[in-house]
Amino acid sequence: MELLENKFESVFGKEYDYAFFAPGRINLIGEHIDYSGGNVFPCAITNGTYALVRIRDDHKFRFVSLNVSDTEILEIDASDLAYDENHGWVNYAKGIIATIAQKGLSIDTGFEVLYYGDIPNGAGLSSSASLGIVTAEFIRKINQLPLSDLDLVVVTKDSENQYIGVNTGIMDQFTVMFGQKDTALRLNTETLDYERVPVQLEGHKIVIMNTNKQRALADSKYNERLEECARALSIIQNHYDVSELCQLNREQLEAIVDAFRDDMVAYRRARHAISENDRVHRAVRKLRHGELLAFGKLLNASHKSLKDDYEVTGKELDSIVEAAWDEASCIGARVTGAGFGGCAIAIVTTDAIPTFIKNVGNKYKEVIGYEANFYVAEIGDGSHEIKR
């Protein structure tokens, strides 16, 4: 914070008024089902996005990110909130302002904001949700808006869906806001009911494995998977009175497999969603009972389903996960996030982590040709104001 404070003063010439932090997230299990009414099991991490803000006495918004340039300031007027390709990453912040304004709330206060994030961009650790939530937090504060934490989650999701054009579910924003140290959230994405589950790994830690293959979610096949799930749901609704894929169980899906004879792609997408939802419930029970080996096996099964039925992994993610599976110290590994590149996670015996990283890293580079990065994850708190 001291470094960021000094940088803010050097960029804007004055001290900041407020500071906020919003974390990134990893999803332990429950992938690609938050838009199909499924249950997910994510946690916040200690990496995230910082925002230092100073109130202005006009209607100008001035943005700078230390991850882009410590001198390049983008200034826009409150009347200039339309999406602009030339504004790059700032569109994620502009989208929050525009979405709040569309809800009839007045954004009267200009500001200067300095961002810094230590989440690798495009790695599948929710850097966009982190940026969105931290922006929503300080806009609520400086404008004294009557918005709850859940309201900010919805604003950030709506901004990404409607302003940025990425049809994400609500898991990322919800976790970034409501995460809590040393716990994961078992979240029902249909009802938003959730419970906090202690994560006690008993001599193991979570290792994040970054393939360093970046994937821009807006440019990926994410929206294509949404359309395929919608096709599957349409077929299912000819046989069952459901509004979401994950309201079905595996036996019900198998009973109508013939209905998918002309669209087996949609069938496989539905099979992943329904089986993954079941794996989440089982994984939570195993973790509560301290059955770590069984928990790890469910992570492995999740990755295989995402590879074979949902087809969102690819050579890089499969190579790094399979290298992790080869290590005796690893009890389970899988892709985390939307896939198409980005990160995977592994549950690894603590004492063996250096050897694990060396061996997996070597195998990955041998197959892919460039290096992966590894981080030992710490489960942290959700979005909050940083008091001086």
Side-chain angles (χ1 to χ4, degrees), residues 102-162:
Q102 287 171 1
K103 296 182 182 298
L105 296 171
S106 179
I107 309 295
D108 296 322
T109 308
F111 59 79
E112 296 170 331
V113 56
L114 179 144
Y115 293 101
Y116 172 71
D118 60 2
I119 309 170
N121 288 334
L125 302 178
S126 293
S127 57
S128 60
S130 178
L131 175 61
I133 288 289
V134 81
T135 302
E137 283 267 33
F138 76 71
I139 288 174
R140 174 176 65 177
K141 178 79 173 187
I142 67 176
N143 290 277
Q144 298 183 333
L145 299 177
L147 296 171
S148 68
D149 288 349
L150 184 57
D151 289 333
L152 296 191
V153 168
V154 173
V155 161
T156 308
K157 177 182 178 294
D158 288 349
S159 174
E160 191 139 2
N161 292 170
Q162 298 160 20

Side-chain angles (χ1 to χ4, degrees), residues 205-209 320-333 344-364 373-376:
K205 287 187 178 293
I206 302 167
V207 177
I208 299 173
M209 306 180 291
I320 208 163
V321 167
E322 288 163 11
W325 289 343
D326 287 341
E327 296 298 307
S329 59
C330 174
I331 64 171
I345 57 169
I347 310 298
V348 182
T349 306
T350 302
D351 293 343
I353 287 175
T355 301
F356 172 87
I357 290 174
K358 178 182 177 181
N359 292 347
V360 173
N362 287 341
K363 288 182 180 179
Y364 180 77
N373 292 121
F374 299 84
Y375 315 87
V376 178

Side-chain angles (χ1 to χ4, degrees), residues 141-213:
K141 178 79 173 187
I142 67 176
N143 290 277
Q144 298 183 333
L145 299 177
L147 296 171
S148 68
D149 288 349
L150 184 57
D151 289 333
L152 296 191
V153 168
V154 173
V155 161
T156 308
K157 177 182 178 294
D158 288 349
S159 174
E160 191 139 2
N161 292 170
Q162 298 160 20
Y163 189 92
I164 302 298
V166 183
N167 291 315
T168 64
I170 203 167
M171 173 183 70
D172 293 356
Q173 297 83 3
F174 197 97
T175 309
V176 169
M177 177 62 77
F178 291 106
Q180 189 176 81
K181 182 177 172 60
D182 295 331
T183 67
L185 300 172
R186 196 282 308 153
L187 169 66
N188 183 318
T189 60
E190 182 181 11
T191 65
L192 298 188
D193 290 335
Y194 72 97
E195 60 177 329
R196 290 192 168 98
V197 180
V199 178
Q200 298 172 335
L201 298 178
E202 299 174 5
H204 298 77
K205 287 187 178 293
I206 302 167
V207 177
I208 299 173
M209 306 180 291
N210 186 357
T211 66
N212 285 322
K213 180 186 179 183

Side-chain angles (χ1 to χ4, degrees), residues 27-30 39-41 184 186 195 197-199 201 275-300 302 334:
N27 190 21
L28 296 176
I29 194 167
N39 286 261
V40 294
F41 196 45
R186 196 282 308 153
E195 60 177 329
V197 180
V199 178
L201 298 178
S275 64
E276 184 79 347
N277 191 49
D278 177 63
R279 279 188 289 273
V280 171
H281 291 297
R282 287 190 285 154
V284 170
R285 290 196 298 270
K286 298 302 182 185
L287 193 58
R288 283 190 182 280
H289 295 149
E291 299 177 37
L292 288 182
L293 291 178
F295 177 73
K297 289 179 180 178
L298 289 166
L299 301 191
N300 296 343
S302 172
R334 62 180 289 276

